[in-house]
Structures are given as C-alpha cells and as structure tokens.
Amino acid sequence: MGKKAINLNRFSMIASLCLLSVFLCITLLAANGEQHTEHCAERKSMLLKMMDSMMTEMDSVSLDASVSGDFLRQMIPHHQGAVEMAEYEIKYGKSPEMIRLARKIVTAQQQEIAEMETMLKNYPYKEGETVPIKYVDAMTKIMMDMMHQTPTDMELKGKDVDCSFAMVMLPHHQAAVDMAMVFLKLEPQSQLVTFAQSIVSDQKKEIEQMQKFIENDCK
C-alpha cells in the first residue's frame, strides 16, 4: 500500500504542475489587459486543457503488478486525449493537411481504444499488488518529458489552431512512442508486443509529418 501510494503520487504531482502552469499563463494574460488576445487564445489553450485532463485521467488509473495491464490502462486515456484534441482540430482547424491527420488519428485511435479495452479483459486489476518500480520510474520520466515539451499558452500566442494542434500533439505522440518502447523493453514476450510495435511505427510517421508542418507553416 505504501509503495503504491508513493509511486502514484508522482503522477499526481505532475498533473498538478501542468494545471498550475496553465492557470498562471491565463492569469498573466488577464492581468496585462490583453482581453482580445485571451479570447482568441482560448480555443488554442483548450488543447492544453485537454492535455491536463488527459494527464489527470492517466494519474487516476489504478495500477498493479502487471506491466501489460498497466500499459493498457494508461494508454487508453492517453489515446482518448488524442481523439479529443483531434476532434477539436477537425472542428476549428483550417489546414486541409492537419484536418486529414486529425481525422486519421480519430479513426485509428478510437479503433485502438476498442482493441485495448478488449485486451484489458485478459489483465484484470488485482488490488493490493505493488506496481513494478521500473515501470513507474519510466512512466514518470515520460510524463515529465511530455510536460516540458508541451508548449505553454504564451508559446502558442499568435499561432493558429492548426499550428497549435501540431505543436501540442507532437509531444503527446512522442509520449505514446516512449510508453510503447518502455513496454517493449520490460515485456518483450507479452501478447501485446505487436500492438505496441504498431503504436511506435504509426505515431513516428505522424510525428515526422507534424514536425515538417511546424517547420514549414508555423514560423
């Protein structure tokens, strides 16, 4: 019980830091009287709010000694966060390329969520088990890296929805790749290996696409 509580509190701390950073950025905008900018940035900052919500959901997941089960339990809300942000891009974006990518993300990740929910039935949660420390340490680092790589409201200032989507989704995708890579290292014989490998392959391609879009269209 003690080890598990300490480990999960690491994720709580990360989620709290993310929420605090967004709050401070919005407060600074209001204090400077930039009401119009704040209003225009509201749609873009919504992407960051979605990221914070996703991290809170991942933090609330109950983990046990099964790395395979824990991987699925945390990847499901991670995918749900991607779907939510992609749907936002579809609704408010203007770039045909980013809208196509967003639609692709929605279709692929909704299907993968359904697959993970089915696979998770093979790894029922076992209360009271100690979460593997190697898994927790690796996931904590990934969440910290994602938090540091995610742009702030101020960094998104002046960016349109398409660029904001790409800039926020990029570290989100990288985290998914990193999570899958950690899983493959810890559970090389798992039945989920092929699934994890597909996450790495598919999302690396989308990362490359978003990087090129940011370089060419978001200066």
Side-chain angles (χ1 to χ4, degrees), residues 76-159:
I76 288 172
H78 192 271
H79 269 40
Q80 289 170 334
V83 169
E84 187 176 0
M85 288 188 285
E87 288 176 338
Y88 190 84
E89 165 64 18
I90 293 168
K91 184 174 182 179
Y92 295 109
K94 302 296 183 183
S95 165
E97 179 184 359
M98 285 298 101
I99 292 173
R100 282 195 301 271
L101 175 61
R103 286 177 176 150
K104 179 181 176 183
I105 289 172
V106 170
T107 300
Q109 299 211 16
Q110 282 183 334
Q111 180 178 338
E112 289 176 355
I113 288 170
E115 291 175 8
M116 287 189 284
E117 289 174 340
T118 298
M119 291 186 288
L120 190 54
K121 294 176 182 178
N122 295 322
Y123 306 96
Y125 173 67
K126 297 179 181 179
E127 188 173 358
E129 291 188 348
T130 300
V131 185
I133 189 65
K134 288 185 179 180
Y135 177 84
V136 172
D137 286 347
M139 290 301 158
T140 299
K141 183 181 184 304
I142 290 170
M143 293 300 104
M144 289 293 290
D145 288 345
M146 181 170 65
M147 181 182 74
H148 292 149
Q149 293 165 9
T150 299
T152 64
D153 271 305
M154 293 300 290
E155 289 171 325
L156 293 179
K157 183 179 177 181
K159 304 295 184 184

Side-chain angles (χ1 to χ4, degrees), residues 23-36 38 154:
F23 172 77
L24 288 174
C25 287
I26 294 174
T27 301
L28 285 171
L29 282 172
N32 290 332
E34 299 180 19
Q35 295 179 353
H36 177 69
E38 182 180 1
M154 293 300 290

